[in-house]
Amino acid sequence: MLYTVFLCFFMATVHAQEIAVLKYNGGGDWYSNPTSLPNLIRFCNANIGTKITEKPETVEVGSHIIFQYPFLHMTGHGNVVFSEEEAENLRTYLLSGGFLHIDDNYGMAPYLKKELVKVFPDTELEELGADHPIFKEVYRFPEGLPKIHEHDGKRPQAFGIMHENRLVLLFTFESDLGNGWEDPSVHNDPEEVRKKALEMGANIVAYAFGH
């Protein structure tokens, strides 16, 4: 109990508004979309009053350093592997007040889901309805998660894991928000598509820092 209280206090006082990229094992490209998070951070700083360092740090799943960051972002296309120690570390982080956003950059879902069982063996991902607060935190998305890139043409879905009425893990699927956050020259997305992606990203940031 004291350990958990200490972690909560530590996370509340160190890097109170900071985001880090989560580096994981398994061969998946955790480093993909290199311009996405800096662009989202700049958008948030300019539009929703955050003061996040524009260049996010990289932290490893099993490191104690993750407890210094209230928001972790994870992405990629391929394989994901958590050791038992890494899974325990990530679980402790999330239950102690941390937040993890996982954005499927296409192809990550089947690998991720089997590893999340290690993190939360008794809890499954549940789809978030369009009425969830994260879709109206700052910008309104009455239909829920926006579609940014087509991929398989399936509808975009947001899945989550809750703890004590707080969303601690968000998994965005068939949306690819990260591609929408990238520099315009990377994917040549229309400005209205990039705007939707950035506004949804800002909602995620606002929720993570406000709950």
Side-chain angles (χ1 to χ4, degrees), residues 19-24 30-31 55-60 63 65-66 69 72:
I19 299 175
V21 175
L22 193 64
K23 179 181 178 180
Y24 53 88
W30 58 267
Y31 46 82
K55 184 179 180 181
E57 296 294 329
T58 297
V59 296
E60 297 188 6
S63 171
I65 300 298
I66 67 173
Y69 296 90
L72 299 178

Side-chain angles (χ1 to χ4, degrees), residues 111-187:
Y111 305 105
L112 173 71
K113 288 179 179 179
K114 66 180 177 60
E115 295 306 294
L116 287 182
V117 174
K118 298 178 183 177
V119 182
F120 292 106
D122 301 317
T123 306
E124 295 184 358
L125 288 168
E126 295 186 6
E127 186 168 3
L128 304 183
D131 59 344
H132 191 277
I134 205 165
F135 299 119
K136 49 191 174 184
E137 191 73 21
V138 181
Y139 302 98
R140 297 192 67 82
F141 288 88
E143 298 181 2
L145 189 68
K147 185 77 168 174
I148 305 303
H149 277 194
E150 286 302 317
H151 294 315
D152 290 331
K154 298 176 182 178
R155 69 181 180 90
Q157 293 177 276
F159 297 95
I161 290 178
M162 306 289 295
H163 175 65
E164 296 180 348
N165 296 318
R166 182 179 71 92
L167 182 67
V168 299
L169 185 150
L170 172 68
F171 175 47
T172 47
F173 175 69
E174 278 289 334
S175 171
D176 212 337
L177 293 173
N179 275 5
W181 301 341
E182 287 228 80
D183 288 347
S185 60
V186 177
H187 299 290

Side-chain angles (χ1 to χ4, degrees), residues 3 6-8 10-11 14-15 20 22-23 58-70 72 85-94 96 98:
Y3 181 58
F6 169 74
L7 290 179
C8 291
F10 189 58
M11 292 176 64
V14 179
H15 301 309
L22 193 64
K23 179 181 178 180
T58 297
V59 296
E60 297 188 6
V61 183
S63 171
H64 69 278
I65 300 298
I66 67 173
F67 293 96
Q68 297 181 24
Y69 296 90
L72 299 178
E85 292 77 12
E86 288 172 334
E88 182 179 357
N89 195 54
L90 185 56
R91 179 171 58 252
T92 301
Y93 164 82
L94 294 171
S96 301

